[in-house]
PDB file of all heavy atoms in Angstrom:
ATOM      1  N   LEU E 438     139.028 168.103 153.794  1.00  0.00           N
ATOM      2  CA  LEU E 438     139.470 167.578 155.081  1.00  0.00           C
ATOM      3  C   LEU E 438     139.481 168.662 156.157  1.00  0.00           C
ATOM      4  O   LEU E 438     139.143 168.403 157.313  1.00  0.00           O
ATOM      5  CB  LEU E 438     140.857 166.965 154.936  1.00  0.00           C
ATOM      6  CG  LEU E 438     140.919 165.692 154.087  1.00  0.00           C
ATOM      7  CD1 LEU E 438     142.358 165.224 153.910  1.00  0.00           C
ATOM      8  CD2 LEU E 438     140.091 164.576 154.709  1.00  0.00           C
ATOM      9  N   MET E 439     139.847 169.880 155.803  1.00  0.00           N
ATOM     10  CA  MET E 439     139.832 170.965 156.792  1.00  0.00           C
ATOM     11  C   MET E 439     138.399 171.301 157.189  1.00  0.00           C
ATOM     12  O   MET E 439     138.162 171.746 158.312  1.00  0.00           O
ATOM     13  CB  MET E 439     140.514 172.198 156.214  1.00  0.00           C
ATOM     14  CG  MET E 439     142.030 172.060 156.118  1.00  0.00           C
ATOM     15  SD  MET E 439     142.811 171.614 157.690  1.00  0.00           S
ATOM     16  CE  MET E 439     142.366 173.025 158.708  1.00  0.00           C
ATOM     17  N   THR E 440     137.439 171.053 156.307  1.00  0.00           N
ATOM     18  CA  THR E 440     136.042 171.220 156.683  1.00  0.00           C
ATOM     19  C   THR E 440     135.673 170.234 157.787  1.00  0.00           C
ATOM     20  O   THR E 440     134.984 170.581 158.752  1.00  0.00           O
ATOM     21  CB  THR E 440     135.119 171.017 155.467  1.00  0.00           C
ATOM     22  OG1 THR E 440     135.480 171.956 154.447  1.00  0.00           O
ATOM     23  CG2 THR E 440     133.656 171.234 155.843  1.00  0.00           C
ATOM     24  N   VAL E 441     136.159 168.989 157.644  1.00  0.00           N
ATOM     25  CA  VAL E 441     135.908 167.992 158.681  1.00  0.00           C
ATOM     26  C   VAL E 441     136.558 168.424 159.998  1.00  0.00           C
ATOM     27  O   VAL E 441     135.934 168.379 161.070  1.00  0.00           O
ATOM     28  CB  VAL E 441     136.453 166.622 158.245  1.00  0.00           C
ATOM     29  CG1 VAL E 441     136.302 165.594 159.365  1.00  0.00           C
ATOM     30  CG2 VAL E 441     135.735 166.139 156.992  1.00  0.00           C
ATOM     31  N   VAL E 442     137.808 168.867 159.927  1.00  0.00           N
ATOM     32  CA  VAL E 442     138.533 169.261 161.136  1.00  0.00           C
ATOM     33  C   VAL E 442     137.856 170.429 161.827  1.00  0.00           C
ATOM     34  O   VAL E 442     137.630 170.418 163.048  1.00  0.00           O
ATOM     35  CB  VAL E 442     140.002 169.602 160.787  1.00  0.00           C
ATOM     36  CG1 VAL E 442     140.713 170.191 162.002  1.00  0.00           C
ATOM     37  CG2 VAL E 442     140.733 168.365 160.309  1.00  0.00           C
ATOM     38  N   LYS E 443     137.525 171.463 161.073  1.00  0.00           N
ATOM     39  CA  LYS E 443     136.926 172.648 161.679  1.00  0.00           C
ATOM     40  C   LYS E 443     135.539 172.358 162.236  1.00  0.00           C
ATOM     41  O   LYS E 443     135.124 172.945 163.241  1.00  0.00           O
ATOM     42  CB  LYS E 443     136.844 173.778 160.642  1.00  0.00           C
ATOM     43  CG  LYS E 443     138.201 174.333 160.235  1.00  0.00           C
ATOM     44  CD  LYS E 443     138.947 174.862 161.449  1.00  0.00           C
ATOM     45  CE  LYS E 443     140.315 175.393 161.072  1.00  0.00           C
ATOM     46  NZ  LYS E 443     141.058 175.918 162.249  1.00  0.00           N
ATOM     47  N   GLU E 444     134.808 171.429 161.603  1.00  0.00           N
ATOM     48  CA  GLU E 444     133.497 171.058 162.134  1.00  0.00           C
ATOM     49  C   GLU E 444     133.643 170.397 163.502  1.00  0.00           C
ATOM     50  O   GLU E 444     132.877 170.675 164.435  1.00  0.00           O
ATOM     51  CB  GLU E 444     132.802 170.126 161.142  1.00  0.00           C
ATOM     52  CG  GLU E 444     131.356 169.805 161.491  1.00  0.00           C
ATOM     53  CD  GLU E 444     131.247 168.525 162.311  1.00  0.00           C
ATOM     54  OE1 GLU E 444     132.203 167.720 162.271  1.00  0.00           O
ATOM     55  OE2 GLU E 444     130.227 168.335 162.976  1.00  0.00           O
ATOM     56  N   TYR E 445     134.663 169.546 163.651  1.00  0.00           N
ATOM     57  CA  TYR E 445     134.920 168.930 164.958  1.00  0.00           C
ATOM     58  C   TYR E 445     135.376 169.968 165.974  1.00  0.00           C
ATOM     59  O   TYR E 445     135.018 169.887 167.157  1.00  0.00           O
ATOM     60  CB  TYR E 445     135.978 167.828 164.820  1.00  0.00           C
ATOM     61  CG  TYR E 445     135.402 166.494 164.420  1.00  0.00           C
ATOM     62  CD1 TYR E 445     135.564 165.994 163.132  1.00  0.00           C
ATOM     63  CD2 TYR E 445     134.690 165.717 165.337  1.00  0.00           C
ATOM     64  CE1 TYR E 445     135.039 164.772 162.756  1.00  0.00           C
ATOM     65  CE2 TYR E 445     134.169 164.482 164.977  1.00  0.00           C
ATOM     66  CZ  TYR E 445     134.346 164.019 163.690  1.00  0.00           C
ATOM     67  OH  TYR E 445     133.824 162.799 163.332  1.00  0.00           O
TER      68      TYR E 445
END
Side-chain angles (χ1 to χ4, degrees):
L438 292 175
M439 287 305 298
T440 302
V441 176
V442 172
K443 292 302 179 180
E444 187 267 340
Y445 274 106

